Amino acid sequence: MDTMGGEIVDYLHQADFSVVVQLAFLGNFLLFFLSITFYAVAHYLYNSKQELVERHPILKADIGNAILNISLNAVVAIAGIYMLRIGWIKIVDLDWKVFPIKFLGVLFLVDFLMFILHWLVHKSILYRYFHYRHHTFERTNALSLFVMHPLENVMFGAILIITFMLIPCDIFTVGFYLGFNLLWGILGHIGFNLLEFKNRWITNGLFHMNHHHDIHINFGFYTSIWDRLFKTHRES
């Protein structure tokens, strides 16, 4: 294993577990702060060019829910590290030749599993009791990405853990994917298209915003592949 990657993996295996717990909570709350900052800066800069749709008000209940879900994200991270320690998740050597293949494999597997879970939640009693919490946002604000039912958050976290159990990756692929996943979540809940893609198979901010306006369409996360396949895709 490469020197830096090996040192990181060795530390995750050998560090006192109480330190791992502290780092997981500290890291997730730092990412939470960075995502809010990204949202605020993007809206400030974009508003200088054109008028945006009015943002959803930030409520006290949403703040509490977001903090709870960030804490649960830390718990999921701790569970993942524990599974690494007992060998259920394997970290392999970095190979730049297969790095893009591994990353895309993780991306498409998570994209498919997330689509299936998202679709099932909408088509079952789970929507009324769990997912509806997230759909109280017809417009976005800085907390939209993190406001959801805690059980739903744990289910999404379980998908990530299962994916890394099925696809052994090097530590850099894991880190790169997790960073990409957070960035894509922010872009999906920012309320406008910060990035424009000519390829309509890639989702953008308005793709997911349309889902918040019409709960019967656009269930995908990173791509529109599964929505097109299952006839739930809408451009606008």
Side-chain angles (χ1 to χ4, degrees):
M1 186 174 289
D2 62 282
T3 304
M4 182 181 295
E7 291 177 352
I8 295 173
V9 174
D10 287 343
Y11 181 81
L12 293 177
H13 274 286
Q14 299 170 10
D16 187 277
F17 208 69
S18 63
V19 176
V20 171
V21 171
Q22 293 174 46
L23 289 175
F25 276 91
L26 179 63
N28 274 280
F29 274 94
L30 176 60
L31 292 174
F32 178 48
F33 172 77
L34 290 175
S35 70
I36 292 174
T37 303
F38 184 99
Y39 181 97
V41 171
H43 269 259
Y44 174 78
L45 295 176
Y46 205 85
N47 255 327
S48 66
K49 298 180 180 180
Q50 69 179 65
E51 190 68 25
L52 295 178
V53 175
E54 183 182 358
R55 283 176 265 183
H56 190 92
I58 294 179
L59 307 176
K60 289 184 179 180
D62 293 337
I63 296 174
N65 182 267
I67 291 174
L68 172 59
N69 280 310
I70 295 302
S71 300
L72 287 175
N73 287 345
V75 171
V76 170
I78 294 166
I81 294 172
Y82 176 76
M83 291 184 182
L84 170 66
R85 287 190 170 199
I86 64 177
W88 286 16
I89 292 178
K90 304 290 185 182
I91 298 295
V92 299
D93 292 341
L94 172 64
D95 184 345
W96 288 111
K97 294 179 180 179
V98 300
F99 176 86
I101 299 174
K102 291 275 189 177
F103 174 75
L104 289 175
V106 171
L107 191 76
F108 282 108
L109 180 56
V110 173
D111 194 42
F112 174 70
L113 294 177
M114 289 284 205
F115 172 85
I116 294 298
L117 177 60
H118 196 186
W119 185 87
L120 287 174
V121 165
H122 272 270
K123 300 300 180 180
S124 68
I125 197 172
L126 293 176
Y127 177 81
R128 181 177 180 182
Y129 292 101
F130 300 113
H131 194 53
Y132 176 76
R133 181 70 180 87
H134 184 64
H135 276 275
T136 57
F137 289 88
E138 292 187 1
R139 292 167 282 123
T140 63
N141 61 33
L143 299 182
S144 303
L145 174 61
F146 305 98
V147 176
M148 66 184 76
H149 193 284
L151 179 59
E152 184 177 14
N153 192 14
V154 171
M155 291 166 69
F156 287 143
I159 284 179
L160 296 184
I161 290 178
I162 291 171
T163 297
F164 287 120
M165 290 174 64
L166 294 175
I167 305 179
C169 296
D170 62 89
I171 194 66
F172 296 107
T173 301
V174 174
F176 185 74
Y177 167 75
L178 293 177
F180 174 86
N181 179 62
L182 176 61
L183 176 61
W184 212 254
I186 296 170
L187 294 176
H189 290 83
I190 207 166
F192 61 94
N193 285 339
L194 184 61
L195 300 177
E196 292 285 353
F197 299 104
K198 293 182 179 179
N199 188 337
R200 295 301 181 183
W201 295 88
I202 302 174
T203 61
N204 54 35
L206 290 183
F207 175 92
H208 191 68
M209 181 55 62
N210 288 334
H211 171 69
H212 275 261
H213 287 300
D214 184 348
I215 64 173
H216 304 292
I217 64 170
N218 295 7
F219 299 103
F221 279 72
Y222 312 124
T223 75
S224 63
I225 293 174
W226 315 113
D227 283 293
R228 293 176 186 275
L229 184 62
F230 289 95
K231 310 298 183 184
T232 56
H233 177 261
R234 297 291 186 279
E235 290 288 350
S236 61

